[in-house]
Amino acid sequence: MALGHNDADPNTPAEAIDLDQVRRYAAFAEGGAGGNPAGVAVLGALPSAETMLRMAAEIGYSETAFLAPMEAEKTDAWRIRYFAPEIEVPFCGHATIAAGAALGELFGSGVYALTLNEGAIDVEAQRDGGGAASAALRSPPTWARRAEPALAGELRPLFGLSVADLAEEWPLSEAGAGARHLFIPLASRERLRALGPGGPLRYPFAPVKALMEKGSITTIAFFWPETERLFHVRNAFAVGGVAEDPATGAAAAAFGALLRELGRLPEDGRIEILQGADMGAPSRIAIEATLEKGASVRVSGAVRPLR
Protein backbone atom coordinates (compact mmCIF):
# COMPACT_ATOMS: atom_id res chain seq x y z
CA MET A 1 0.00 0.00 0.00
CA ALA A 2 1.35 3.43 -0.95
CA LEU A 3 0.21 5.32 2.13
CA GLY A 4 3.52 5.22 3.99
CA HIS A 5 6.69 3.37 4.81
CA ASN A 6 7.32 0.63 7.32
CA ASP A 7 11.11 0.69 7.27
CA ALA A 8 13.18 2.05 10.12
CA ASP A 9 15.33 5.12 9.58
CA PRO A 10 18.87 4.22 8.55
CA ASN A 11 21.77 5.26 10.75
CA THR A 12 19.63 5.88 13.82
CA PRO A 13 19.84 3.56 16.82
CA ALA A 14 16.66 2.11 18.20
CA GLU A 15 15.39 3.59 21.44
CA ALA A 16 12.84 1.99 23.72
CA ILE A 17 9.79 4.16 24.34
CA ASP A 18 7.98 4.40 27.63
CA LEU A 19 4.38 5.57 27.52
CA ASP A 20 5.34 8.32 29.97
CA GLN A 21 7.56 9.81 27.24
CA VAL A 22 4.55 10.42 25.01
CA ARG A 23 3.00 13.86 25.34
CA ARG A 24 -0.69 14.14 24.54
CA TYR A 25 -2.51 17.08 23.01
CA ALA A 26 -5.81 17.88 21.30
CA ALA A 27 -5.09 19.82 18.12
CA PHE A 28 -7.52 22.35 16.61
CA ALA A 29 -9.40 22.70 19.89
CA GLU A 30 -12.43 24.98 19.92
CA GLY A 31 -12.99 27.21 22.93
CA GLY A 32 -10.74 25.16 25.20
CA ALA A 33 -12.54 21.92 24.37
CA GLY A 34 -12.74 19.36 21.61
CA GLY A 35 -9.96 18.97 19.07
CA ASN A 36 -8.31 15.80 17.78
CA PRO A 37 -6.07 13.94 20.25
CA ALA A 38 -2.54 13.11 19.14
CA GLY A 39 0.46 11.61 20.83
CA VAL A 40 3.89 13.22 20.46
CA ALA A 41 7.12 11.40 21.36
CA VAL A 42 10.18 13.67 21.30
CA LEU A 43 13.14 11.27 21.39
CA GLY A 44 16.89 11.21 21.02
CA ALA A 45 16.61 8.79 18.08
CA LEU A 46 13.76 7.09 16.27
CA PRO A 47 13.16 3.42 17.06
CA SER A 48 12.10 0.86 14.49
CA ALA A 49 8.90 1.30 12.52
CA GLU A 50 7.53 -1.81 14.23
CA THR A 51 8.07 -0.22 17.65
CA MET A 52 6.42 3.05 16.61
CA LEU A 53 3.45 1.24 15.08
CA ARG A 54 3.00 -0.84 18.23
CA MET A 55 3.18 2.27 20.43
CA ALA A 56 0.67 4.12 18.25
CA ALA A 57 -1.74 1.19 18.63
CA GLU A 58 -1.27 1.17 22.41
CA ILE A 59 -1.83 4.93 22.65
CA GLY A 60 -4.96 4.52 20.54
CA TYR A 61 -5.20 7.98 18.98
CA SER A 62 -5.75 8.34 15.24
CA GLU A 63 -2.07 9.37 14.97
CA THR A 64 1.04 9.66 17.08
CA ALA A 65 4.05 11.68 15.90
CA PHE A 66 7.60 10.52 16.64
CA LEU A 67 10.42 13.08 16.47
CA ALA A 68 14.21 12.96 16.74
CA PRO A 69 16.72 15.79 16.13
CA MET A 70 18.41 15.90 12.74
CA GLU A 71 21.67 16.82 14.48
CA ALA A 72 22.79 16.14 18.04
CA GLU A 73 22.44 19.04 20.46
CA LYS A 74 20.34 21.07 18.00
CA THR A 75 16.64 21.69 18.44
CA ASP A 76 15.63 23.64 15.33
CA ALA A 77 15.37 20.72 12.86
CA TRP A 78 13.64 17.37 13.41
CA ARG A 79 12.92 14.08 11.66
CA ILE A 80 9.24 13.23 12.08
CA ARG A 81 7.16 10.13 11.34
CA TYR A 82 3.45 9.57 11.88
CA PHE A 83 1.76 6.32 12.87
CA ALA A 84 -1.92 5.45 13.11
CA PRO A 85 -2.99 2.35 15.04
CA GLU A 86 -2.68 0.20 11.89
CA ILE A 87 -0.41 2.01 9.38
CA GLU A 88 2.21 4.68 8.95
CA VAL A 89 0.94 7.79 7.12
CA PRO A 90 3.24 10.09 5.14
CA PHE A 91 1.87 13.31 6.64
CA CYS A 92 -0.60 14.12 9.41
CA GLY A 93 -1.78 17.67 10.04
CA HIS A 94 -3.21 17.44 13.54
CA ALA A 95 -0.22 15.48 14.84
CA THR A 96 2.07 18.12 13.30
CA ILE A 97 0.15 20.84 15.13
CA ALA A 98 0.48 18.80 18.33
CA ALA A 99 4.20 18.33 17.64
CA GLY A 100 4.52 22.10 17.28
CA ALA A 101 2.94 22.53 20.71
CA ALA A 102 5.33 19.96 22.20
CA LEU A 103 8.41 21.60 20.67
CA GLY A 104 7.21 25.00 21.84
CA GLU A 105 6.70 23.66 25.34
CA LEU A 106 10.17 22.11 25.39
CA PHE A 107 12.23 24.69 23.49
CA GLY A 108 10.16 27.86 23.17
CA SER A 109 8.07 29.60 20.54
CA GLY A 110 9.49 29.68 17.03
CA VAL A 111 9.63 27.88 13.69
CA TYR A 112 10.87 24.29 13.57
CA ALA A 113 11.94 22.47 10.39
CA LEU A 114 10.48 18.97 9.97
CA THR A 115 11.78 16.30 7.60
CA LEU A 116 9.13 13.82 6.42
CA ASN A 117 9.56 10.45 4.73
CA GLU A 118 9.29 12.41 1.51
CA GLY A 119 9.90 16.15 1.57
CA ALA A 120 10.08 18.75 4.31
CA ILE A 121 7.72 21.18 6.03
CA ASP A 122 7.83 23.51 9.02
CA VAL A 123 5.69 24.14 12.05
CA GLU A 124 5.49 27.33 14.11
CA ALA A 125 4.87 27.07 17.85
CA GLN A 126 3.00 30.01 19.37
CA ARG A 127 1.65 31.15 22.74
CA ASP A 128 -0.58 34.12 23.46
CA GLY A 129 -0.27 36.50 26.41
CA GLY A 130 -2.30 34.16 28.58
CA GLY A 131 -0.13 31.16 27.78
CA ALA A 132 -2.63 29.41 25.50
CA ALA A 133 -0.84 27.32 22.87
CA SER A 134 -1.41 27.23 19.13
CA ALA A 135 0.59 26.13 16.13
CA ALA A 136 0.70 26.64 12.37
CA LEU A 137 2.14 24.36 9.72
CA ARG A 138 3.02 24.79 6.08
CA SER A 139 1.96 21.68 4.22
CA PRO A 140 3.86 19.70 1.61
CA PRO A 141 3.19 20.69 -2.02
CA THR A 142 -0.45 20.28 -3.01
CA TRP A 143 -2.55 19.07 -5.95
CA ALA A 144 -6.25 18.71 -6.75
CA ARG A 145 -8.42 17.22 -9.50
CA ARG A 146 -11.84 15.73 -10.17
CA ALA A 147 -12.30 12.17 -8.94
CA GLU A 148 -13.42 9.25 -11.03
CA PRO A 149 -17.27 9.06 -11.05
CA ALA A 150 -17.10 5.28 -10.60
CA LEU A 151 -15.57 5.78 -7.17
CA ALA A 152 -18.57 7.79 -6.03
CA GLY A 153 -20.82 5.05 -7.32
CA GLU A 154 -19.04 2.54 -5.11
CA LEU A 155 -18.93 4.73 -2.00
CA ARG A 156 -22.40 6.33 -1.98
CA PRO A 157 -24.36 3.20 -0.96
CA LEU A 158 -21.79 2.33 1.70
CA PHE A 159 -22.55 5.65 3.44
CA GLY A 160 -26.28 5.53 2.71
CA LEU A 161 -26.12 8.41 0.23
CA SER A 162 -28.14 8.97 -2.93
CA VAL A 163 -27.36 11.27 -5.84
CA ALA A 164 -29.91 13.72 -4.41
CA ASP A 165 -27.84 13.98 -1.20
CA LEU A 166 -24.89 15.48 -3.10
CA ALA A 167 -24.40 19.20 -3.81
CA GLU A 168 -24.91 19.62 -7.55
CA GLU A 169 -22.66 22.68 -7.83
CA TRP A 170 -19.61 20.89 -6.40
CA PRO A 171 -17.82 18.03 -8.18
CA LEU A 172 -16.63 14.89 -6.45
CA SER A 173 -12.92 15.64 -6.11
CA GLU A 174 -9.64 14.40 -4.75
CA ALA A 175 -6.70 16.42 -3.51
CA GLY A 176 -3.42 15.92 -1.75
CA ALA A 177 -0.97 17.61 0.58
CA GLY A 178 1.41 14.82 1.44
CA ALA A 179 -1.40 12.24 1.23
CA ARG A 180 -4.46 11.62 -0.96
CA HIS A 181 -7.93 12.66 0.24
CA LEU A 182 -11.36 12.22 -1.35
CA PHE A 183 -13.90 15.06 -1.01
CA ILE A 184 -17.65 14.42 -1.26
CA PRO A 185 -19.92 17.52 -1.22
CA LEU A 186 -23.30 17.23 0.51
CA ALA A 187 -26.41 19.27 -0.17
CA SER A 188 -27.28 20.15 3.44
CA ARG A 189 -25.97 20.41 6.97
CA GLU A 190 -28.67 17.98 8.05
CA ARG A 191 -27.42 15.28 5.67
CA LEU A 192 -23.90 15.71 6.99
CA ARG A 193 -25.15 15.31 10.57
CA ALA A 194 -27.19 12.25 9.64
CA LEU A 195 -24.07 10.34 8.56
CA GLY A 196 -23.52 9.60 12.24
CA PRO A 197 -25.80 11.51 14.63
CA GLY A 198 -24.40 11.86 18.14
CA GLY A 199 -21.29 9.80 17.46
CA PRO A 200 -18.76 8.73 14.83
CA LEU A 201 -19.65 8.20 11.19
CA ARG A 202 -21.65 5.02 10.61
CA TYR A 203 -20.64 2.82 7.70
CA PRO A 204 -19.56 -0.78 6.97
CA PHE A 205 -15.98 -0.48 8.12
CA ALA A 206 -14.31 -3.35 6.27
CA PRO A 207 -15.66 -2.58 2.76
CA VAL A 208 -14.84 1.13 3.07
CA LYS A 209 -11.36 0.33 4.36
CA ALA A 210 -10.81 -2.05 1.43
CA LEU A 211 -11.82 0.63 -1.09
CA MET A 212 -9.50 3.15 0.57
CA GLU A 213 -6.62 0.70 0.50
CA LYS A 214 -7.29 -0.12 -3.14
CA GLY A 215 -7.22 3.56 -4.13
CA SER A 216 -4.49 4.68 -1.68
CA ILE A 217 -7.01 7.09 -0.12
CA THR A 218 -6.00 8.35 3.31
CA THR A 219 -9.32 9.95 4.29
CA ILE A 220 -12.80 10.49 2.87
CA ALA A 221 -14.07 13.98 3.68
CA PHE A 222 -17.76 14.88 3.49
CA PHE A 223 -18.36 18.63 3.49
CA TRP A 224 -21.11 21.23 3.40
CA PRO A 225 -20.34 24.89 2.59
CA GLU A 226 -22.16 27.23 4.96
CA THR A 227 -20.54 30.25 3.28
CA GLU A 228 -17.63 30.78 0.90
CA ARG A 229 -15.37 30.95 3.97
CA LEU A 230 -16.90 28.47 6.40
CA PHE A 231 -17.18 24.73 5.78
CA HIS A 232 -18.55 21.91 7.92
CA VAL A 233 -16.66 18.64 7.47
CA ARG A 234 -16.75 15.02 8.62
CA ASN A 235 -13.83 12.75 7.83
CA ALA A 236 -13.60 8.95 7.64
CA PHE A 237 -10.21 7.34 8.35
CA ALA A 238 -11.02 3.64 8.13
CA VAL A 239 -7.70 2.84 6.45
CA GLY A 240 -5.93 3.93 9.64
CA GLY A 241 -8.22 1.88 11.87
CA VAL A 242 -10.33 4.88 12.99
CA ALA A 243 -13.99 5.41 12.08
CA GLU A 244 -13.87 9.22 12.13
CA ASP A 245 -11.37 11.99 12.86
CA PRO A 246 -12.68 15.04 14.76
CA ALA A 247 -10.10 17.31 13.05
CA THR A 248 -7.95 16.49 10.03
CA GLY A 249 -5.23 19.00 9.23
CA ALA A 250 -3.76 17.16 6.24
CA ALA A 251 -7.18 16.97 4.58
CA ALA A 252 -7.73 20.66 5.43
CA ALA A 253 -4.54 21.58 3.55
CA ALA A 254 -5.68 19.47 0.60
CA PHE A 255 -9.09 21.18 0.74
CA GLY A 256 -7.40 24.56 0.43
CA ALA A 257 -5.72 23.28 -2.73
CA LEU A 258 -9.07 22.01 -4.01
CA LEU A 259 -10.76 25.40 -3.52
CA ARG A 260 -7.87 26.98 -5.42
CA GLU A 261 -8.29 24.49 -8.29
CA LEU A 262 -12.06 25.07 -8.44
CA GLY A 263 -11.72 28.87 -8.37
CA ARG A 264 -13.60 29.04 -5.06
CA LEU A 265 -10.83 30.42 -2.86
CA PRO A 266 -11.70 33.82 -1.33
CA GLU A 267 -9.53 36.73 -2.46
CA ASP A 268 -7.42 36.70 0.71
CA GLY A 269 -7.13 32.89 0.63
CA ARG A 270 -8.57 32.40 4.12
CA ILE A 271 -11.22 29.89 5.12
CA GLU A 272 -12.22 27.96 8.24
CA ILE A 273 -13.32 24.39 8.74
CA LEU A 274 -15.61 23.27 11.56
CA GLN A 275 -15.27 19.56 12.25
CA GLY A 276 -15.98 17.09 15.03
CA ALA A 277 -19.07 18.77 16.49
CA ASP A 278 -21.37 15.95 15.41
CA MET A 279 -19.26 13.43 17.33
CA GLY A 280 -18.90 15.60 20.46
CA ALA A 281 -15.40 16.97 19.81
CA PRO A 282 -15.84 20.45 18.25
CA SER A 283 -12.77 21.56 16.30
CA ARG A 284 -11.80 24.63 14.27
CA ILE A 285 -9.16 24.65 11.55
CA ALA A 286 -7.91 27.85 9.92
CA ILE A 287 -6.53 27.68 6.37
CA GLU A 288 -4.58 30.22 4.32
CA ALA A 289 -3.78 29.44 0.69
CA THR A 290 -2.35 31.42 -2.19
CA LEU A 291 -3.44 31.23 -5.81
CA GLU A 292 -0.15 29.63 -6.81
CA LYS A 293 -0.88 26.20 -8.25
CA GLY A 294 0.68 23.42 -6.19
CA ALA A 295 1.86 25.74 -3.42
CA SER A 296 1.87 24.77 0.25
CA VAL A 297 -1.16 25.64 2.37
CA ARG A 298 -0.89 27.14 5.85
CA VAL A 299 -3.00 25.33 8.46
CA SER A 300 -3.33 26.55 12.03
CA GLY A 301 -5.30 26.02 15.20
CA ALA A 302 -5.38 26.05 18.97
CA VAL A 303 -3.89 23.23 21.05
CA ARG A 304 -4.85 22.03 24.51
CA PRO A 305 -2.84 19.57 26.59
CA LEU A 306 -4.41 16.27 27.59
CA ARG A 307 -3.43 15.01 31.03
Side-chain angles (χ1 to χ4, degrees), residues 16-17 48-60 66 83-85:
I17 304 174
S48 69
E50 292 75 17
T51 296
M52 290 186 282
L53 185 63
R54 184 180 70 252
M55 293 302 299
E58 289 185 31
I59 292 163
F66 297 84
F83 286 82

Side-chain angles (χ1 to χ4, degrees), residues 7-304:
D7 56 315
D9 274 1
N11 305 317
T12 55
E15 178 177 304
I17 304 174
D18 189 288
L19 281 176
D20 291 338
Q21 292 178 269
V22 179
R23 296 169 180 266
R24 300 161 191 257
Y25 302 90
F28 304 116
E30 170 75 322
N36 193 0
V40 180
V42 181
L43 308 168
L46 294 184
S48 69
E50 292 75 17
T51 296
M52 290 186 282
L53 185 63
R54 184 180 70 252
M55 293 302 299
E58 289 185 31
I59 292 163
Y61 295 152
S62 59
E63 271 99 2
T64 295
F66 297 84
L67 297 88
M70 295 294 291
E71 295 183 46
E73 309 303 325
K74 291 189 176 181
T75 62
D76 59 343
W78 297 82
R79 178 70 167 95
I80 186 168
R81 295 178 73 170
Y82 310 92
F83 286 82
E86 296 187 7
I87 61 168
E88 180 178 12
V89 294
F91 169 62
C92 173
H94 86 277
T96 301
I97 294 295
L103 293 173
E105 192 174 304
L106 289 167
F107 307 110
S109 298
V111 178
Y112 296 90
L114 303 176
T115 298
L116 311 178
N117 286 347
E118 297 180 7
I121 60 172
D122 62 58
V123 64
E124 181 179 0
Q126 307 163 335
R127 284 190 179 273
D128 65 19
S134 63
L137 65 85
R138 291 201 176 274
S139 77
T142 59
W143 58 268
R145 60 181 175 239
R146 295 199 177 205
E148 291 294 330
L151 187 57
E154 290 186 272
L155 283 170
R156 273 202 315 269
L158 293 175
F159 286 91
L161 294 170
S162 68
V163 174
D165 292 320
L166 306 183
E168 293 182 357
E169 66 275 21
W170 290 81
L172 177 76
S173 304
E174 58 182 1
R180 183 186 179 198
H181 306 270
L182 185 68
F183 293 92
I184 300 178
L186 297 185
S188 69
R189 179 71 181 89
E190 291 70 26
R191 195 65 193 87
L192 184 68
R193 185 179 296 111
L195 289 175
L201 290 166
R202 297 175 185 171
Y203 55 90
F205 196 86
V208 170
K209 181 180 179 182
L211 273 177
M212 295 176 76
E213 290 177 338
K214 179 181 177 182
S216 295
I217 300 168
T218 303
T219 71
I220 300 171
F222 301 89
F223 70 92
W224 174 72
E226 180 175 338
T227 70
E228 67 169 3
R229 292 183 180 274
L230 185 63
F231 296 82
H232 297 259
V233 174
R234 302 192 71 169
N235 197 292
F237 186 39
V239 75
V242 178
E244 181 177 3
D245 252 350
T248 318
F255 190 63
L258 175 60
L259 295 181
R260 174 201 293 145
E261 183 69 19
L262 296 176
R264 291 178 176 268
L265 199 63
E267 187 174 347
D268 62 3
R270 297 186 178 189
I271 68 166
E272 286 191 315
I273 287 176
L274 298 180
Q275 191 177 337
D278 294 320
M279 57 184 300
S283 307
R284 184 178 295 267
I285 306 172
I287 299 172
E288 296 178 44
T290 68
L291 293 178
E292 180 185 351
K293 191 178 181 69
S296 296
V297 172
R298 186 177 189 268
V299 179
S300 61
V303 184
R304 65 183 181 92

